[in-house]
Amino acid sequence: MLKPLMLTTEPGWQEVLSDLLTDPLELLRLLDLNADMCGLSLDAVRNFPLRVPRPYLARIKPGDPHDPLLRQVLPVTTEMLPSPGFSLDPLGESLVNPQQGLLHKYHGRALLIVTSSCAIHCRYCFRRHFPYDDNNPGRRQWRQALEYLAADDSIEEIILSGGDPLAASDRHLQWLVGELEDIRHLRRLRIHTRLPIMIPQRITPELGAWLSASRLQKVVVIHCNHANELDDAVTRACSRLRDSGATLLNQSVLLKGINDSTEALITLSESLMAAGVLPYYLHLLDKVQGAVHFDVSEARARELIRALQTRLPGYLVPRLVREIAGNPSKTPVNIDEGPTPATEF
C-alpha cells in the first residue's frame, strides 16, 4: 500500500520572524556548546536581548565557540565592562532627530526609522541604546515627517532604516513609499536592511511588485559581515531584489575575531560579487557601549585594506570609513598612512 504523499511548505517570513531564538541557553544547547566555554553573560542579555532567526542559526557551525556568525549575536561578559570612549549614542543621533522617526544628518539625504523591530540583535549595533519608544510614529507623526521632507527641496534621497525596515509589512511600506513618491524633489529610495541575509524568505513577489513599481531610483544596502552568512537562499533573495530594479550594495563592520583578516575580507567580497552585490563600505566600529570587544584599530584596518588592494580588483575593495558625530558625511580613512605591509594578513 502506498503511503500518502506528505506535502511540506516553507514557512512564510512573518512566521520565521515570530519564531526567533531569544533564550541564550537554548541557542547554546542547539549548537552543542556550554555557557562557560563561550563566556555567556545573562546580565548582557537583560541589557540587550538576544534575537536570532533560525535560518541564520542553520549557518552557524555546531560545537565551535569561535564561529564568526555566533560571535556576532552571543551576549558575553565583556559587554558589561566599563569602556572609556564608548557611549550610548556614538553617532549623536539624538541631536539630528527633528521629527519622530526622522533623522537628518547629511545634506541631500534624510533617514526614516520605519520600525524598531529587527530580525537579529547584532551585539555591536550602534543603535542598541536608541530611544525607539520616542521614535515610533503613528499616521499623524508620519504625516509630520513627510511634511518636513516636502518642505526641504534639498533632500533628494530618502533612506529607510530601523530596526530593519523590511521587518515592516508590505502594506505599510507600500503606503509609505507611495507618500514619498508624491514628494517631487525626492529622486532616490535607499533601503538599509539585514533581512535578505537573516530571513531570505522576506523578499517575496509582493515586495518585488511594489518596489519595482516605484518611480524612485532604488538602492538596497544589505549588511553582511562574513561570507558564511551567504547561502543559496540569500543569493536567490538578492536576485529577486535585482529583478525589482534595485542596485545592490553591501556594508560591513570590521569586527575583531570575525572578519579582521585579509582572507576573510577577500572571501566576503568575492562571495558578495557572486551573489550580485557590490562591496560598498567597510566601517570601523561605532564606539557604542557594550561593543568594545569587537574593536579593531585603525592601523590594522589600513593594513587590511592595503592588502586587499594587492589581491582584488578595485571594485571589490570596499571603502574604509568611520562615522564621526557632527561631521557632514562619513569620514574616509586614509589608508596610505603607516608602513605598507610586506606580508599577507
Side-chain angles (χ1 to χ4, degrees):
M1 181 178 179
L2 293 175
K3 294 182 179 180
L5 180 64
M6 302 297 291
L7 298 178
T8 59
T9 58
E10 185 180 66
W13 71 268
Q14 297 98 328
E15 184 179 347
V16 178
L17 188 60
S18 67
D19 187 33
L20 302 175
L21 277 166
T22 57
D23 181 348
L25 296 178
E26 180 187 7
L27 172 68
L28 295 184
R29 179 182 60 80
L30 291 171
L31 294 172
D32 295 324
L33 295 167
N34 65 65
D36 291 338
M37 182 188 304
C38 297
L40 176 69
S41 169
L42 296 181
D43 287 336
V45 177
R46 286 186 281 271
N47 188 44
F48 186 45
L50 176 83
R51 289 169 73 92
V52 181
R54 295 181 189 271
Y56 185 84
L57 173 69
R59 300 172 215 152
I60 299 175
K61 182 180 178 182
D64 183 1
H66 304 294
D67 181 273
L69 276 58
L70 173 65
R71 301 312 301 188
Q72 294 182 55
V73 299
L74 187 69
V76 294
T77 55
T78 47
E79 292 186 34
M80 306 305 295
L81 296 175
S83 307
F86 285 66
S87 70
L88 301 182
D89 183 15
L91 305 187
E93 292 190 324
S94 62
L95 303 175
V96 290
N97 191 191
Q99 301 284 342
Q100 275 199 40
L102 187 147
L103 301 176
H104 191 187
K105 288 194 291 186
Y106 300 146
H107 177 78
R109 292 98 79 197
L111 182 148
L112 295 178
I113 301 289
V114 176
T115 177
S116 62
S117 181
C118 200
I120 192 165
H121 278 176
C122 303
R123 307 311 297 182
Y124 53 86
C125 180
F126 68 90
R127 288 200 183 121
R128 58 182 289 166
H129 306 291
F130 187 80
Y132 285 110
D133 289 344
D134 299 330
N135 285 275
N136 187 25
R139 283 294 172 100
R140 182 172 66 84
Q141 289 81 14
W142 276 124
R143 182 58 55 196
Q144 292 171 346
L146 291 164
E147 289 172 356
Y148 177 97
L149 295 172
D152 187 344
D153 62 9
S154 73
I155 299 173
E156 296 187 337
E157 180 172 67
I158 191 70
I159 302 167
L160 303 187
S161 186
D164 194 305
L166 294 190
S169 69
D170 284 321
R171 180 179 179 181
H172 178 64
L173 289 168
Q174 188 170 10
W175 169 81
L176 181 58
V177 171
E179 294 293 316
L180 293 167
E181 288 171 351
D182 289 341
I183 301 174
R184 299 313 302 174
H185 54 260
L186 291 181
R187 298 170 55 197
R188 291 183 299 277
L189 172 71
R190 193 187 338 164
I191 300 174
H192 282 219
T193 178
R194 199 129 153 80
L195 259 291
I197 302 291
M198 297 298 113
I199 304 177
Q201 298 97 314
R202 175 62 185 101
I203 313 305
T204 61
E206 292 77 15
L207 184 152
W210 65 256
L211 194 58
S212 62
S214 176
R215 72 161 181 86
L216 299 170
Q217 187 176 15
K218 297 163 283 286
V219 178
V220 176
V221 182
I222 66 172
H223 176 182
C224 181
N225 294 319
H226 196 279
N228 291 0
E229 294 178 10
L230 300 165
D231 62 9
D232 290 343
V234 173
T235 298
R236 289 193 295 272
C238 291
S239 178
R240 290 193 289 270
L241 284 170
R242 290 198 309 278
D243 289 345
S244 74
T247 298
L248 298 191
L249 305 175
N250 182 68
Q251 60 179 0
S252 305
V253 181
L254 185 60
L255 300 166
K256 187 175 182 179
I258 293 170
N259 59 10
D260 58 333
S261 72
T262 300
E263 293 305 324
L265 292 173
I266 286 174
T267 305
L268 174 59
S269 282
E270 290 179 336
S271 299
L272 286 166
M273 190 62 184
V277 183
L278 195 65
Y280 172 41
Y281 278 148
L282 179 63
H283 288 266
L284 292 175
L285 182 73
D286 295 317
K287 294 184 181 297
V288 62
Q289 280 286 352
V292 65
H293 54 296
F294 292 116
D295 198 22
V296 177
S297 72
E298 186 173 312
R300 174 62 173 157
R302 290 195 299 266
E303 291 174 348
L304 288 166
I305 292 296
R306 291 201 300 271
L308 292 191
Q309 289 179 326
T310 69
R311 299 273 299 276
L312 292 173
Y315 58 85
L316 290 187
V317 180
R319 294 180 65 194
L320 181 64
V321 296
R322 69 161 66 252
E323 194 153 359
I324 300 173
N327 278 18
S329 67
K330 290 183 174 62
T331 302
V333 176
N334 183 1
I335 64 169
D336 293 326
E337 294 180 11
T340 301
T343 59
E344 290 299 328
F345 294 87

